[in-house]
Each structure stands twice: as structure tokens, then as C-alpha cells.
Amino acid sequence: MTRLAIRAPLAWLGPGRAVPDVQVVCEGGAIVEVGRVRAVAETDEVLDVDGFLMPAGADRHVHIEMGDPVAMLRRGVTAVRDLAWPADRIFALAETSESPGFHGPLIRAAGPMLTAPGGYPIGAPWAPPGTGLEIDDAAAASAAVADLASRGAVAIKVSLNAEAGPTPSDTVLTSICDAAAERDLPVTAHAQGVGQVARALGAGVSELAHTPWSERLDDTTLAAAADRMRWVSTLDIHGFGRDTPELRCALDNLSRFHRAGGQIAYGTDLGNGPVPSGVHVTELQWLRQAGLTTEEALEAFVRAPIELGAPADLLVVGESPLGDVAALDDIRLVIRAGVPVD
Ligand SMILES: [Zn+2]
């Protein structure tokens, strides 16, 4: 099998690791060597890049069929996680995305959002039939999680949107979390409305699909969240570049969550309004506003650090984004699974 050796004058491998004269060797879609530039085997291909090398991005909250997979990949995002779409369509697309000829990012999916009968997103204008799955009781909850797991779900999405309709009872919510935990699947919640984050915490939800924006969390809830949850950022959907009360509320919650040691993942909610396919620099800038350092914002954005065994998903940008994340507007080359993207 051909190996590809990428050589760059400067690279950011991951937190605290900005280094000169790097050589990264890719084989079979993974990184098999990271170090200083040195001689390689005659059969290895060598790619000298003129720019700054770093890991490629991942967007942990998209609705990919409402975006442009080709642009997504070209603009630096090599992996996405779809958080609510009809099961038949999204799991088929996820499988297609694994083939080398697919022009887009690797797609992983939750499938439909589990919700109460008549609850969000049933009937929401953006959601095709099947985007929500109505759950009547605890037994139906366990069965739904088992079915989604068998179809390849990487997370279970649950709707706790009390502003748009009924939400699952605590019994159903706990049953969803227990069935997911048995299969090592995270449960990610759309929590909207006063008290919904606390309910999610009480039932064992391990992630919020959005930074909370509909209430300011009290310190106790916030500390518990920082201890037990990851939050997906999705900040820019509250104003699309503009300052709004919802954005202010989310930034306040996120900065306190961050100070309390909470884990943050970059996600855009692609499909919800004018969010671009590919790296969304404004989202990264809001993360900086919430108090993350540039390096922390990049850490939230990348799929994985450049290290042995990591996916060979890389970017070359014109300048280092360690000074200013806006440098990510100038992506020169994307490599997915060890293959440069045309
Ligand atoms: Zn969404």
C-alpha cells in the first residue's frame, strides 16, 4: 500500500504542540508516523506543502442533507455528526460516506430525534417526516434505542423542547438514557425551556446538542453539567453574526461552563439558517468570546490531534490560526483519510 509523507514548515499537532519541520506519514487512512522531516522509503509518496499543517475539523451538530457535503469537505470539515434526520435516509448516507469516492465528509448519525407524541420536531417546518420519533412509554424507549443502535447510531438524540410542545416524561427519559448506556452510546439533548437542562442532568443525559440559551443556569446546575456533560456550541444560530439576547445568554452559560472545566465541542447546527458548509469562523470567534483561548477553540474544532493511529484528516492553511482563528478562511489543502481532496 502506498504511503503518503506530508512535509510542512510549521504545524500544530494538538494542544501545546506547535512545531517546525514536521513530517506526517499516512497509510490506510490513518497516521502512522509523526516527527521531524527525514528520509522515507522510495515507494512512499512525498507531498511538500507550503503552509501551516493542522488536523482537519469535525462538526458535531449538522443536518447534512440541508448543507453541501462537497463544500463541507473543501472548507476543512472531514467528519460530521448528523443530529436528527429520517433513519432510512441518514444511515444510508452515512454508509455511502465511508466509500473513498464519496465527495464529502465522513458522516456519522443519530437518526431521528426521540420525542413525546406531538413533541418537537414533529411538524416543524425544517423537519421532513421521520425526523422525530414519537415515544409513548419506557418500553418503546428501550426498543427505539436498541433499533437505532443496531442501525449504526453513534448517539441518541432526545427532544426536551418544552417551548414547542410536550416532552418525554422523566420515566421515558431515564429509560432512553439507561438503554443508551448499556450500549455505550451518548445521549444528546435539545434542551429548551426553563428547567430542561436540570431534567436532562437528572436522567443521565451526557451531552447537550446546543449551549443552553433559553435560561441562565444557576451555579449548582452549571457545576453538575460541567462535571457530567459535554456541550456542543452552536452559538452563531442565535444571531448569525449579530448580537442577540439569546446569544448573550448562551455566551454567559458557556463561559461559566468553560471556567468550571466543562468539555466543549464545536458544532454549527448546519441546516438551521444561513450557516455555511465547512469551517464556520464566526462560530470559532464566538467560542473565543466565551473565554476559550484560540488553542482551546481549535481543540474543540478538530476531529483529533495529529498523533499515531489518528485518522489521517489534515488541513493546510496559509497562516497559523493560533494567532487568529480567521486564518481558517484561507484553507489551501484538505486531506481526508490520507488522500488529498481535489
Ligand atoms: Zn440541529
Side-chain angles (χ1 to χ4, degrees):
M1 189 183 287
T2 314
R3 300 175 358 137
L4 175 67
I6 299 154
R7 292 170 174 169
L10 206 57
W12 180 69
L13 306 179
R17 291 183 296 145
V19 287
D21 300 321
V22 169
Q23 176 168 294
V24 177
V25 181
C26 313
E27 183 177 13
I31 292 168
V32 294
E33 238 183 81
V34 183
R36 286 304 188 99
V37 172
R38 62 180 189 83
V40 294
E42 241 175 62
T43 49
D44 291 351
E45 269 180 53
V46 174
L47 179 64
D48 282 295
V49 299
D50 178 20
F52 185 87
L53 184 71
M54 62 175 281
D59 191 332
R60 272 90 176 188
H61 187 155
V62 302
H63 304 275
I64 191 68
E65 279 203 18
M66 291 194 280
D68 175 353
V70 176
M72 199 79 184
L73 185 58
R74 285 208 177 125
R75 299 222 343 111
V77 174
T78 57
V80 299
R81 191 177 57 154
D82 192 286
L83 289 187
W85 207 246
D88 288 346
R89 283 159 65 172
I90 198 61
F91 290 128
L93 188 59
E95 197 178 328
T96 303
S97 78
E98 291 169 18
S99 69
F102 180 71
H103 297 296
L106 180 70
I107 298 167
R108 290 289 176 258
M113 194 181 322
L114 305 189
T115 188
Y120 180 81
I122 305 296
W126 64 269
T131 302
L133 181 59
E134 295 166 285
I135 302 293
D136 289 311
D137 54 29
S142 308
V145 171
D147 178 56
L148 293 172
S150 75
R151 300 176 75 170
V154 295
I156 301 298
K157 174 90 175 274
V158 61
S159 167
L160 295 177
N161 184 349
E163 293 180 355
T167 58
S169 68
D170 287 345
T171 309
V172 167
L173 189 56
T174 304
S175 175
I176 290 169
C177 291
D178 290 350
E182 274 174 34
R183 295 166 178 85
D184 282 328
L185 287 176
V187 175
T188 187
H190 174 122
Q192 183 173 356
V194 173
Q196 296 304 315
V197 174
R199 286 191 64 213
L201 274 166
V205 168
S206 50
E207 184 185 278
L208 297 183
H210 304 276
T211 299
W213 76 97
S214 58
E215 62 174 331
R216 183 179 198 271
L217 298 184
D218 65 60
D219 289 341
T220 311
T221 308
L222 200 111
D227 213 34
R228 309 209 291 267
M229 279 180 159
R230 179 170 84 158
W231 287 3
V232 184
S233 58
T234 75
L235 295 165
D236 193 47
I237 55 167
H238 302 300
F240 305 112
R242 287 179 308 112
D243 195 357
T244 62
E246 292 77 15
L247 177 70
R248 281 288 161 108
C249 181
L251 285 172
D252 171 59
N253 282 327
L254 192 63
S255 64
R256 293 158 64 225
F257 180 76
H258 176 56
R259 283 202 301 276
Q263 199 198 338
I264 298 164
Y266 163 97
T268 64
D269 201 9
L270 173 76
N272 177 354
V275 169
S277 291
V279 60
H280 188 21
V281 168
T282 311
E283 185 68 28
L284 291 166
Q285 287 166 335
W286 291 130
L287 285 173
R288 295 276 294 112
Q289 286 269 315
L292 278 73
T293 63
T294 307
E295 196 169 52
E296 285 168 341
L298 293 175
E299 188 184 1
F301 169 65
V302 300
R303 186 175 178 203
I306 297 176
E307 59 191 16
L308 290 187
D313 287 10
L314 306 163
L315 298 183
V316 178
V317 283
E319 301 277 338
S320 165
L322 288 169
D324 182 351
V325 290
L328 280 165
D329 269 328
D330 180 23
I331 293 173
R332 305 272 174 91
L333 178 69
V334 177
I335 292 159
R336 183 192 156 188
V339 181
V341 173
D342 275 343

